[in-house]
């Protein structure tokens, strides 16, 4: 059901189209490609990572995936080859990086996709296993146990593992690192006989109702998987290719010449030129005229409607003008008097020491200075 192979230089593998293909990149093999630099008596356990790509391209083919959890674990190439690539050799370049010594080693993997006589299998079922990661499910013994459990409840003559997909590739979230939670994996298998009654129990109205309420459906054959695999039966997908109606429509090819009076009608050569003068007037002249009218109105209000000082004085009572004039004269006299005051500065604002020699500066006024003429600070009311 799966093709497992170890890494060798320019290795040729022959997977079948539509059948799961697994290729393990073992770190133990690539350790021999790098010189051992550790001290005497120590075991070399260098971190090694892999880069895989189609020869001449930066990435792998669309059907081929690659996973490696840590630099201390093996890498795995897996996927389901397509029928379109049958007979065409696919060369995958494998580059190993030693993260301690920064050395590299390159090998080629030649994938020769063969056609499968019994493919595609008409009945396909996809299971979602919650307690597995994709690299755990790709192990030969784990996948063999799962196919054995499926064969026990389905009883087919031919059973193939078609594809394995991580739940993260289907939009799933990365699980929390608690309680050894797994990301989950989708496993698609195909058989040549109709689905068993156990698998059909998921389509019952009672189980559909329980799934809509996020409850576990009642499946009689779940106990045959429960010991090792926790299957989410609400996410199982059953596909019967024998009942699918083909939507392909045959294309009727003609002579390639359009009949007279077809859909395409080119424009006439006698088109008249368009006059844009009226559009110009509407776009520029009308807004300019409105702006000019508004400017004239504003100019009339600002310049022609001013009352002036004489008109204001004529409308003001004489007694009010006399009071206003007296206030202005008094204010001017007070300001002139404040400018002519000659009052000595307080001693607190004078320097005590000479700024250059540092000697004590005598006060500007003698002790007999009459300071009675200095104004005192008025108490604020």
């Amino acid at each position: 059901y799966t093709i497992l192979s170890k890494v060798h230089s320019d290795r040729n593998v022959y997977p079948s189209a539509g059948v799961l293909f697994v290729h393990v990149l073992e770190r133990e093999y690539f350790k021999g490609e790098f010189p051992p630099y550790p001290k005497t008596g120590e075991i070399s356990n260098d971190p090694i990572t892999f880069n895989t790509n189609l020869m001449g391209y930066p990435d792998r083919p669309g059907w081929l995936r690659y996973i490696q959890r840590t630099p201390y674990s093996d890498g795995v190439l897996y996927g389901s080859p397509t029928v379109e690539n049958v007979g065409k050799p696919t060369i995958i370049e494998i580059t190993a990086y030693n993260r301690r010594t920064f050395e590299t080693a390159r090998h080629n993997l030649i994938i020769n996709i063969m056609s499968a006589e019994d493919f595609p299998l008409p009945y396909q079922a996809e299971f979602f296993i919650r307690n597995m990661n994709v690299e755990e499910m790709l192990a030969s013994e784990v996948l063999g146990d799962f196919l054995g459990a499926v064969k026990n409840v389905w009883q087919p003559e031919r059973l193939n593992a078609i594809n394995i997909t991580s739940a993260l590739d289907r939009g799933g979230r990365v699980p929390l690192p608690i309680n050894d939670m797994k990301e989950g994996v989708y496993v698609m298998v195909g058989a040549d006989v109709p689905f068993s009654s156990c698998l059909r129990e998921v389509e019952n109205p009672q189980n559909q109702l329980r799934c809509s309420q996020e409850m576990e459906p009642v499946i009689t054959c779940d106990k045959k998987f429960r010991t090792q695999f926790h299957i989410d039966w609400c996410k199982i997908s059953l596909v019967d290719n024998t009942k699918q109606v083909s939507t392909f429509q045959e294309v009727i090819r003609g002579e390639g010449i359009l009949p007279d009076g077809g859909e395409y009608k080119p424009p006439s050569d006698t088109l008249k030129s368009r006059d844009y003068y009226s559009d110009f007037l509407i776009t520029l002249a009308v807004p300019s005229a409105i702006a000019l009218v508004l400017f004239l109105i504003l100019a009339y209000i600002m310049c022609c409607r001013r009352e002036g000082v004489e008109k204001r004085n004529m409308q003001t009572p004489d007694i009010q003008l006399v009071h206003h004039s007296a206030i202005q004269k008094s204010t001017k006299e007070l300001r002139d008097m404040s400018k002519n005051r000659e009052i000595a500065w307080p001693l607190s604002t004078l320097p005590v020491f000479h700024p250059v020699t540092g000697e004590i500066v005598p006060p500007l006024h003698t002790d007999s200075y009459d300071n009675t003429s200095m104004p005192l600070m008025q108490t604020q009311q």
Side-chain angles (χ1 to χ4, degrees), residues 103-165:
E103 295 180 339
T104 60
R106 177 169 293 181
H107 298 267
N108 293 333
L109 178 67
I110 304 175
I111 303 176
N112 303 281
I113 303 175
M114 309 297 293
S115 60
E117 298 179 356
D118 55 349
F119 181 80
L121 296 173
Y123 303 97
Q124 300 176 2
E126 187 178 52
F127 300 86
F128 177 65
I129 305 174
R130 294 178 294 186
N131 64 327
M132 287 286 176
N133 290 333
V134 61
E135 71 277 5
E136 297 175 348
M137 197 66 197
L138 289 172
S140 58
E141 58 276 4
V142 177
L143 185 59
D145 294 342
F146 178 75
L147 293 177
V150 174
K151 190 173 184 180
N152 190 14
V153 300
W154 199 340
Q155 300 297 329
E157 295 182 2
R158 295 192 304 271
L159 182 69
N160 288 341
I162 298 178
N163 200 3
I164 291 180
T165 308

Side-chain angles (χ1 to χ4, degrees), residues 139-318:
S140 58
E141 58 276 4
V142 177
L143 185 59
D145 294 342
F146 178 75
L147 293 177
V150 174
K151 190 173 184 180
N152 190 14
V153 300
W154 199 340
Q155 300 297 329
E157 295 182 2
R158 295 192 304 271
L159 182 69
N160 288 341
I162 298 178
N163 200 3
I164 291 180
T165 308
S166 174
L168 301 181
D169 297 334
R170 297 285 188 88
R173 295 183 177 181
V174 178
L176 296 175
I178 56 175
N179 298 330
D180 197 19
M181 297 181 66
K182 306 294 183 178
E183 63 190 29
V185 61
Y186 290 88
V187 181
M188 178 178 288
V189 297
D192 57 346
V193 297
F195 304 107
S196 62
S197 58
C198 172
L199 300 179
R200 289 289 187 182
E201 292 179 0
V202 184
E203 301 177 351
N204 295 339
Q206 295 83 2
N207 288 331
Q208 292 293 328
L209 179 61
R210 294 177 66 89
C211 288
S212 63
Q213 297 176 353
E214 299 182 357
M215 299 175 60
E216 191 74 19
V218 179
I219 307 297
T220 56
C221 59
D222 180 59
K223 58 183 179 180
K224 297 182 180 180
F225 297 91
R226 182 64 63 174
T227 56
Q228 188 176 0
F229 307 100
H230 296 173
I231 298 177
D232 190 348
W233 292 99
C234 292
K235 293 184 179 181
I236 189 174
S237 176
L238 304 178
V239 180
D240 188 356
N241 293 324
T242 60
K243 296 181 180 180
Q244 292 184 355
V245 181
S246 177
T247 58
F248 176 75
Q249 296 180 359
E250 185 178 359
V251 179
I252 301 176
R253 301 183 180 276
E255 298 178 356
I257 302 176
L258 292 176
D260 295 338
E263 296 181 357
Y264 177 71
K265 295 181 180 181
S268 176
D269 296 336
T270 60
L271 292 177
K272 296 181 180 180
S273 60
R274 183 177 176 181
D275 187 11
Y276 292 95
Y277 182 73
S278 59
D279 297 339
F280 173 75
L281 292 179
I282 295 175
T283 305
L284 296 179
V286 173
S288 300
I290 295 175
L292 180 60
V293 172
L294 295 176
F295 175 76
L296 294 177
I297 294 174
L298 182 62
Y300 172 76
I301 294 174
M302 297 295 294
C303 299
C304 301
R305 298 292 296 176
R306 295 185 65 181
E307 296 180 353
V309 178
E310 296 180 357
K311 186 176 181 180
R312 183 196 64 184
N313 294 338
M314 292 175 62
Q315 295 179 355
T316 305
D318 295 339

Side-chain angles (χ1 to χ4, degrees), residues 340-358:
N340 298 328
R341 286 185 303 177
E342 295 181 359
I343 302 175
W345 293 94
L347 296 178
S348 60
T349 59
L350 298 177
V352 179
F353 298 95
H354 194 276
V356 178
T357 61

